[in-house]
Amino acid sequence: MKRLGSIICVIALIVTMTASSCFAAETLKIEETYPTDGQKNTTKENLCVKLTFSDDVGAKDNREANRNCFKITDPDGKSIPIKVFFDPKDSKKVMVLADTTKDISILDNTEYTLTVDSSFQDNNGNTLGDDAKISFTTMDQGKSTTVYMIMMVIMFGAMFAFSSIQAKKNAAKAVEEKAKDMPFNPYKEAKRTGKPVTQIIAEHEKAVEKQKAKEARKAARVKEEKEEEIEEEIDNGNYRVKGPRRIADGGSSYITGRKAAAEARKAEEERLAKRRAANKKKKK
């Protein structure tokens, strides 16, 4: 009996230890945060940290105690006023927000740390077990503003330069158009530029030839484009006509009824004229 009692006690002790280990394994964890630990360039307006836990933490009985488990500190360890909100739609989420209604000043390019106390617990009473810390650095707003201003200056400078270049091109084009309408005076141009008259005449003739060649190329290009627009080959060797075209342009010698009648009348008039001329000559 004593041996049996000892065995029962050992079994009971093992079961108790196993059960304790199982319950101890149920610990609360932080699964996700925004900003993440070590994140840079976070906004300093409405400074906040959003946390997602592994279990529901929004029970009303735990809210007040859990609110006291959060704090945000600056690099000197000084706490700033905060507000803690539990998400009514997702009981695993909590948002810790800087209380801007208080007299606080969030600094640029400064590291802040959110600490969650180890006593923070979920709806089942499980705790974090250890303090959790999330550090993040605010944006350097002054530097960002400087970069933005530099970009604006560059953009306006580029716009001004482009406008100036375009205005100069338009002015030069206007002068060139005006010069085309005026008779060329080599002596006047020589006086204006200080170049010899012979050089002025040679340069002018060269410019005229260059302009003629340019216009000839342009005319040839326009003619080629028009010819391409007349016909365009499509599938199966068929052609689509893009505009009206005479039958003769396609190589046909067919004469329509109106044209044939007109040619017949013209031939008859020519025959009668020749006959009248011959009769008149005989009478003389």
Side-chain angles (χ1 to χ4, degrees):
M1 290 292 293
K2 291 183 179 180
R3 184 177 180 184
L4 180 60
S6 299
I7 293 173
I8 293 173
C9 290
V10 171
I11 293 173
L13 181 61
I14 292 173
V15 170
T16 302
M17 292 178 64
T18 304
S20 300
S21 299
C22 292
F23 284 112
E26 292 291 333
T27 57
L28 181 64
K29 296 179 182 179
I30 299 176
E31 292 188 335
E32 186 179 357
T33 67
Y34 181 83
T36 58
D37 186 37
Q39 186 168 330
K40 307 289 185 181
N41 295 323
T42 62
T43 178
K44 72 173 193 175
E45 287 78 14
N46 297 324
L47 183 145
C48 70
V49 180
K50 299 176 183 178
L51 304 101
T52 302
F53 291 88
S54 58
D55 295 303
D56 294 336
V57 295
K60 292 182 179 180
D61 297 339
N62 297 334
R63 285 184 184 179
E64 290 304 319
N66 281 341
R67 281 192 175 96
N68 295 326
C69 293
F70 295 98
K71 66 177 180 179
I72 296 178
T73 55
D74 61 16
D76 297 328
K78 183 180 178 181
S79 298
I80 64 173
I82 60 173
K83 292 180 179 180
V84 180
F85 298 94
F86 294 86
D87 191 337
K89 296 182 179 180
D90 189 346
S91 187
K92 293 182 179 181
K93 294 184 177 181
V94 179
M95 183 172 69
V96 183
L97 179 68
D99 188 357
T100 54
T101 62
K102 308 289 184 170
D103 185 18
I104 60 172
S105 178
I106 305 300
L107 304 177
D108 289 347
N109 195 29
T110 302
E111 184 180 79
Y112 290 89
T113 301
L114 169 71
T115 302
V116 186
D117 192 82
S118 60
S119 61
F120 183 87
Q121 60 181 343
D122 62 16
N123 296 349
N124 297 320
N126 300 312
T127 62
L128 284 176
D130 295 310
D131 290 351
K133 295 180 181 293
I134 299 97
S135 298
F136 52 94
T137 304
T138 55
M139 180 186 299
D140 190 344
Q141 195 68 39
K143 183 179 179 180
S144 299
T145 302
T146 301
V147 172
Y148 174 77
M149 292 301 295
I150 292 173
M151 291 178 65
M152 289 293 292
V153 170
I154 293 173
M155 183 180 70
F156 280 113
M159 291 175 61
F160 178 77
F162 177 78
S163 299
S164 299
I165 292 171
Q166 193 65 32
K168 289 180 180 179
K169 286 183 178 180
N170 292 337
K173 187 175 181 180
V175 171
E176 184 179 347
E177 292 294 331
K178 186 177 179 180
K180 287 181 180 179
D181 299 332
M182 297 177 62
F184 175 67
N185 189 336
Y187 298 99
K188 184 177 179 180
E189 188 67 15
K191 183 178 180 181
R192 185 182 68 84
T193 59
K195 298 179 181 179
V197 175
T198 53
Q199 183 179 349
I200 295 295
I201 294 174
E203 290 178 353
H204 177 70
E205 291 177 349
K206 185 177 180 181
V208 170
E209 291 298 325
K210 186 177 179 180
Q211 183 64 26
K212 286 182 179 179
K214 183 178 179 181
E215 292 176 356
R217 289 194 300 271
K218 183 177 179 181
R221 186 169 62 253
V222 171
K223 183 180 179 181
E224 184 179 352
E225 290 175 354
K226 286 184 177 180
E227 289 176 352
E228 290 177 354
E229 288 178 358
I230 292 175
E231 290 183 347
E232 179 182 343
E233 185 176 2
I234 58 176
D235 295 338
N236 301 324
N238 297 317
Y239 289 84
R240 180 174 61 202
V241 179
K242 291 190 173 181
R245 189 178 182 188
R246 297 181 306 167
I247 295 177
D249 293 337
S252 174
S253 59
Y254 173 75
I255 302 175
T256 62
R258 287 182 298 176
K259 185 175 182 182
E263 290 181 352
R265 285 196 301 270
K266 185 178 179 182
E268 181 63 20
E269 288 175 358
E270 290 178 353
R271 187 181 67 80
L272 293 174
K274 288 181 180 179
R275 186 175 180 180
R276 284 194 292 268
N279 292 336
K280 188 177 180 180
K281 187 176 182 181
K282 286 179 180 181
K283 287 181 181 180
K284 289 182 178 180

